[in-house]
Amino acid sequence: SAVISQKPSRDICQRGTSLTIQCQVDSQVTMMFWYRQQPGQSLTLIATANQGSEATYESGFVIDKFPISRPNLTFSTLTVSNMSPEDSSIYLCSVVITGYQNTEAFFGQGTRLTVV
Amino acid sequence: RKEVEQDPGPFNVPEGATVAFNCTYSNSASQSFFWYRQDCRKEPKLLMSVYSSGNEDGRFTAQLNRASQYISLLIRDSKLSDSATYLCVVNLWWGKLQFGAGTQVVVTP
């Protein structure tokens, strides 16, 4: 299993500013995933954070808006840049642990972002 | 068309009753399948994996139909604590997950 500590748990930010979200995992993992969950909707993958290389972004998400750092195998940050009210959402980091017979995704507690 | 589709519900279920719902997925190369539970304002947590032969975990039964590309979840003897949103999750390749929008279940006394 994996335990992920994500912070901040929530924040209210002014438009035009940036917020950096941190995730710390209690074990080394190759890939970490960053998701966004807008109200009433499911999780949408923003990007995959790889240690030692640039993150891989999904369609509709760009590095300038959501820069990601992955300095080691247990830590990653996601920055939401130049925020607008449309960025208000829950942001979640995730890792996937594959065992002998099963695969399970573990999530941080989420960051509830409100942009005013 | 969404890659993973679920009936959003809500399914209003009397306590003690049975409820079942499905999820369809579009990518036939999907490798593994899961049901996650998400409580309000909380992160998703694994409820159960879904195996080709179908599997049961207590009051929960999951089925996978690869030919028709759907998975199902059945909850027997519903408890008030089963009220949550149930997310259908499909694993395309190692770690790349696709999520359905969730099915809301409300168990009433």
Side-chain angles (χ1 to χ4, degrees), chain B residues 15-18 59 75-79 82:
Chain B
E15 193 174 9
T18 295
R59 298 181 293 106
I75 307 173
R76 287 186 302 278
D77 187 23
S78 299
K79 311 292 185 190
D82 294 333

Side-chain angles (χ1 to χ4, degrees), chain A residues 20 25 47 56 59 62 69 109 115:
Chain A
T20 296
V25 189
T56 304
S59 175
V62 294
S69 79
Q109 301 90 335
V115 183

Side-chain angles (χ1 to χ4, degrees), chain B residues 47-58:
Chain B
L47 176 67
M48 59 195 304
S49 302
V50 186
Y51 302 120
S52 297
S53 56
N55 49 301
E56 195 173 300
D57 183 0

